[in-house]
Amino acid sequence: MNGRDPFAAVRALARVELRALRAHPRRALLLVVLVAVPVAAVAGAGTMLGVLTPSREERRTQAMGRADLVIEAPAGHADLLRATPHLPPDVRVARIAQGAESVVAGGLRLHARLVAAEAATLAPGAPVEGLVVLRAGRAPVDAGEVALSPSLLEGLGVDLGDRVSLAYGGPRVVTGVVVEPEAIDAPLVLRTPSLVEAKGTERLLITVGDPGRAKRLAGRLRDAGLRTSERAAIVSTDDAVAAIVLALGSIGFAEAGLVIAAALGVTLRRRRREIGLLGACGAPPAAVAAAIVISTALLALCAGVAGAVLGNAIAWGLHPFYDAWTGRLNGPFVLSPGHAIAGVGLGVVAAAVAAALPAIAAARVPIRDALGGRRPGASTPRATPAFALGALALGLGLGFAPPLRALVGAGPSVIGGALLVVAGLGLAVPWLLETGARLASAVPLVPRLALRDAGRFRARNAPVVAAILAGMATSVTIAALIASARGALDAFPAIYRDDQLVFEGAAAEEAARTLAATSSHVLAVAPYRVAATNGMPVVARLDSTGAARQRGHREPWVAVGDDTLLTVLGADAARADFAQGRLLALDPPDGTRSVRFQDGPRGAELATHDVVSVATGRRVAGPAYVLGLAAAERSGHEAAPPPGRGLVPWYVRLDAPVTARDLAVARALAEKRPGTSVDAALAQDEPVRRIHGIVLLLCLATGLVVLLVAAALSNAESEGDLHTLRTVGAPPAVLRGYRAARTGFLALLGSALAVPAGLVPAVRILADANVDVPFVLPWREILAGLVLLPLVASGLAWLLAGDGGRRVTRALT
Amino acid sequence: MVRAASPLAFDRVTKVHGAGPTAVRALGPVSFAVAPGEFVAIMGPSGSGKSTLLGLAGALDTPTEGTVSIEGHDLSALTPGALAALRRRTIGYVFQDLNLLPGLTAVENAALPLELDGASIPAARSEALAALEAVDLARLAHRFPDDLSGGERQRVAIARAFVGPRSLLLADEPTGALDSLTGERVLALLRAQCDRGLTAVLVTHDAAHAAWADRILFLRDGAIVDESRPAR
């Protein structure tokens, strides 16, 4: 016949496949879940992170509102006057001052960040729009009005319409509620600008409208000696987030693909006779295989679309909580179609690739064997050990051979090396299973049956072990990095002394004094304030004529206070010098004799002071210098909260290192006071431990799911063997023990191989890091993988060996 | 009539599959007893209930009505653990195919009931090797089933069926997948074991094979319709 359609066989067979799926819909359930879940995770996480991650435009608005240009005016009004002649008449100009302020009401005094701007400049399209956001009420329009942030209103116990006093502005009526978009919980004061701003820094925000004009104007302003920033110059975005989501999602798809391959292999073996019939009717093997792959891919497409919808629905449902979680205004919910499409695409590809090998194997079984139900003998291709060794060698070479690393580059070496090591160990699994089966003769019956079964069905078990290997290797890598980082953190200065508690918030002083009154272990309490001039913190720089060049580990601020501050900071040894008004330098570099005071990090030089060096015996990142309050005031400085903190934190020093109980007592005090928190060195690594715990749990959970699917598949394939065991009188405990041992062995093999696979990239990453982080073996996590996973998996397989498990088996296959 | 301590006895046994309008009476009521050392063949056309009868005899299934006894023990009164013990120590079962565990060698398959009963590996393998010698397969003891012919696999299954102190062998069409010569060899083995005191029940649809037995029971539509004793 002429004009034969070359794809007719594939289409016909694909119809047969899809009808088979419709006839046994539960067979599809496993594949649907394995594809839909990672797609949902990628699509949902991509959308969430897209909303949570500031866009380029949001970053520009953070820096300069709606303005095209910003002129910094360190000299205050004088700089503003110099700029005015250069500005075209049609541009919109807004003057804004930013600094620190104190708000007083009802006997309470709270410190906050200050923004001074005209109400009109906050309107939509005006230059200051977006720098601060009005949540309620209106912006202040004259010197008798002010807008406060929600945290200030709550801390002071005031509301719209109430009166408060500003330390640098007198009494005002609260007319509005205002927040900083990037820190909605931070204390903020918005008022109208004064004619002369005595504190803080002033800026001119200029809206030009045309980017080209803005660029030319910026050039003219710079030529006039004015510090000018352009909106177009802010270009950074956080593309790393999207890449991380897709990278993690790819690992999930790879594991899903391995399990799909195992499950499909079992299903196709059960359909041997049916496939044999197709061959007997003239279906070409290639068409049979193609039809299986196509039907799997189509099913994966449907599952992926469902997963994308589900993931985005979850992201949308959680949207109302984004602001509370992140402490910033995150904007409206916007879908990330790129992640959804990528997720669906990856799901389809993973399913199709996973289906290919079992489909080809099933289609190539001789028709007579397939019709007779004869199972083809298991064999490992001779080339597989060679490929495994080759991949391992190349992976280790990329990790540790300098010429190879130089050729490929550091980053690709780490990733490529890790992937090749995992691939190499994965390729070695069939050979390892076969070897285990061969060596099982002297082993007792139940483990012998498990080893022989694992080896016999290695075509199905190898992908399962590889999936465990990939997942647990990720956990081992992360565990090694975290364990090493935690070990290295000891070499870095801690934020606080181990005997300090730090209260922050509106009621920090009250909480600290309450703790001192109720505990006999408190040596001293003191506020941590720094010397400031014109609202800017004084920065002390080492005098270049005296000091050694090594970097100090402390912050360059000058803490001001009384004797209690000395005790809190552990500098009692210099009490006499402190009383004389001398400047103390805490744990300075060798040879330090004097420092220069600056007005802010990039400000003008103020004065040079001799220092008295004090050794506190602790490597902490606290203030580097201490000065008496009276001495600071004589030098023209005032006391302000440390940079980056709107309110003055209160330090409490105990007579011994802080214990978990001490921290719990302090936390209880803080929780009773809204907006107040407590911190300590002990609490610093809690987030790291929490993250690591979550990662480990996720990897164990993933491994368990994979193993339980494997257990169900194993049960499906060994029904005949189980029947034989029953007829020769195997007690139920032996039948369950056989199935449990089989699952436990697969888990143990995967976990054991995951140890070298996970440690290799960790060692490489640490060696390449710019900081000196010695490698620390995460033995606890390794033991958890080697012991916990096999035990739990065996236990669950034991439990599933009953009728419930048989129903699950039938459903899956 | 039930005889005390008979290796196998059926007393008004019935087996019905399903319930209600779809219920199918596969067997019964049947009553018979097998004497110690007797070789009984069960014959009948397809669907006559032969395999159902053998499954009930091997404690692989439970009767709907009536009593199945092995060595005087009513099987319905035994716990699942006790039934398993019976299958390990007293009953040997041979199917038409899929008898052996593909993951175990011939000697390991033959030793399986002994190992399941707690015998040490060396002791179990020693007895299994002796059983394989009896069926002339000792030289293939360490081969896997995939490397044995159909007849060799059946002989291994028979060795497993009489290894140890078991007294009752049940064979369900053991020669169905074999050529006639090999089938004759298998039946000669069964006959030899019965001559040594083993009690055997053979299900077959082949009269030539049934002629090896001491007594033939004919089944039709789930009932015993005739009985004969072949001339030997």
Side-chain angles (χ1 to χ4, degrees), chain A residues 83-480:
Chain A
T84 306
H86 299 280
L87 301 177
D90 61 332
V91 301
R92 293 182 74 173
V93 180
R95 179 172 152 244
I96 181 174
Q98 291 169 294
E101 182 60 89
S102 294
V103 187
V104 181
L108 282 174
R109 182 188 182 98
L110 299 179
H111 299 276
R113 203 166 95 77
L114 166 71
V115 172
E118 296 289 351
T121 62
L122 296 166
V128 185
E129 186 206 0
L131 266 181
V132 294
V133 172
L134 272 168
R135 303 297 290 271
R138 59 172 177 79
V141 296
D142 60 41
E145 297 180 343
V146 71
L148 302 180
S149 64
S151 59
L152 276 179
L153 292 172
E154 187 185 337
L156 292 168
V158 299
D159 207 340
L160 290 177
D162 291 342
R163 285 195 164 273
V164 298
S165 291
L166 300 184
Y168 296 100
R172 302 200 178 214
V173 173
V174 180
T175 61
V177 182
V178 66
V179 295
E180 263 184 282
E182 290 305 309
I184 56 179
D185 298 324
L188 178 68
V189 172
L190 173 67
R191 61 163 170 77
T192 52
S194 304
L195 197 60
V196 176
E197 290 286 344
K199 289 169 56 68
T201 54
E202 292 190 49
R203 300 196 291 167
L204 271 186
L205 274 62
I206 303 166
T207 307
V208 179
D210 176 60
R213 256 187 98 194
K215 195 173 175 63
R216 289 191 294 276
L217 178 58
R220 290 203 300 275
L221 291 167
R222 290 192 190 107
D223 289 342
L226 291 161
R227 252 190 265 171
T228 309
S229 307
E230 294 172 59
R231 186 183 196 81
I234 299 174
V235 295
S236 72
T237 55
D238 213 340
D239 293 326
V241 168
I244 288 170
V245 168
L246 285 176
L248 290 174
S250 300
I251 296 174
F253 284 118
E255 292 207 27
L258 289 167
V259 179
I260 290 171
L264 202 56
V266 171
T267 304
L268 291 177
R269 276 192 286 277
R270 296 187 104 178
R271 295 174 57 202
R272 256 194 320 273
R273 286 201 176 91
E274 178 191 328
I275 294 171
L277 265 175
L278 291 173
C281 293
V288 171
I292 294 169
V293 173
I294 289 169
S295 67
T296 305
L298 284 173
L299 187 61
L301 180 63
C302 297
V305 169
V309 169
L310 175 67
N312 279 300
I314 292 173
W316 175 78
L318 293 174
H319 181 245
F321 304 100
Y322 289 3
D323 290 353
W325 288 342
T326 59
R328 63 182 289 270
L329 291 179
N330 287 287
F333 179 80
V334 176
L335 283 177
S336 174
H339 281 92
I341 293 169
V344 173
L346 280 172
V348 171
V349 167
V353 168
L357 271 178
I360 293 169
R364 287 167 72 175
V365 171
I367 295 174
R368 193 181 55 203
D369 290 345
L371 285 174
R374 184 178 165 80
R375 187 194 163 75
S379 65
T380 305
R382 283 185 202 283
T384 302
F387 282 129
L389 275 174
L392 263 175
L394 192 57
L396 290 172
L398 281 174
F400 301 105
L404 210 51
R405 286 170 47 76
L407 190 67
V408 172
S413 293
V414 172
I415 298 172
L419 290 174
L420 281 168
V421 167
V422 169
L425 289 171
L427 283 171
V429 169
W431 177 81
L432 289 170
L433 291 174
E434 190 182 9
T435 304
R438 254 204 317 272
L439 298 174
S441 301
V443 169
L445 178 66
V446 168
R448 184 175 357 122
L449 286 171
L451 285 168
R452 292 276 176 79
D453 180 277
R456 182 175 153 231
F457 291 106
R458 54 188 176 272
R460 178 237 306 145
N461 289 327
V464 168
V465 174
I468 304 292
L469 158 64
M472 294 305 291
T474 307
S475 173
V476 169
T477 302
I478 294 174

Side-chain angles (χ1 to χ4, degrees), chain A residues 86 190-191 363 452 466 518 690 702 707 781 801:
Chain A
H86 299 280
L190 173 67
R191 61 163 170 77
R452 292 276 176 79
T518 55
R690 204 173 301 134
T702 308
L707 283 165
E781 290 78 8

